[in-house]
Amino acid sequence: QVQLVESGGGLVQPGGSLRLSCAASGRTFSTYARGWFRPAPGKERELVAAISWSGGTTYYSDSVKGRFIISRDNAKNTVYLQMNSLKREDTAVYYCAAASNTYDLRYSGNGDYWGLGSQVTVSS
């Protein structure tokens, strides 16, 4: 059974940092693009960050560019999202996804596999 399991969420003060992890099991995702999504006003979800299968190409939404860093460890079948300088508006459930290509994540918002989400709350 293929699973994506997020971890690392929690409560943090504004300006703080968190690192989310998304561990995959049931198959290898070394050839899959990976991404992180969160709900957004007016649409089902927004792509926060994405990374190509090799890690050579990354994408960030304007709202997190310069603050978040996506990375992956194919040997561990895991993708990470380092979130720095967190703001209250970053509060959301963050979902990781895997897709056969980055295009699907960026332009269709579609993933072949999804995790159940990890809650991030930014509050003082």
Side-chain angles (χ1 to χ4, degrees):
Q1 182 181 1
V2 176
Q3 284 188 309
L4 299 181
V5 180
E6 301 95 337
S7 62
L11 173 64
V12 63
Q13 293 186 342
S17 297
L18 282 176
R19 189 175 84 151
L20 301 182
S21 300
C22 176
S25 61
R27 64 159 296 154
T28 180
F29 285 91
S30 60
T31 60
Y32 275 67
R34 308 285 293 273
W36 290 93
F37 288 82
R38 68 187 184 189
K43 50 185 175 180
E44 183 177 0
R45 53 182 173 251
E46 68 166 343
L47 177 63
V48 173
I51 188 167
S52 62
W53 68 271
S54 67
T57 302
T58 56
Y59 162 84
Y60 299 94
S61 67
D62 288 341
S63 60
V64 307
K65 196 173 296 180
R67 300 188 296 123
F68 290 12
I69 301 171
I70 188 170
S71 61
R72 65 188 297 160
D73 184 338
N74 285 340
K76 295 182 178 180
N77 230 7
T78 299
V79 65
Y80 306 94
L81 185 67
Q82 177 67 43
M83 304 184 293
N84 302 320
S85 303
L86 282 161
K87 306 175 181 179
R88 288 182 173 82
E89 51 264 41
D90 293 319
T91 294
V93 177
Y94 285 73
Y95 299 89
C96 73
S100 57
N101 59 79
T102 309
Y103 182 94
D104 285 346
L105 292 177
R106 288 190 60 179
Y107 299 106
S108 304
N110 291 330
D112 297 315
Y113 302 94
W114 293 89
L116 295 180
S118 181
Q119 176 70 48
V120 171
T121 302
V122 185
S123 175
S124 55

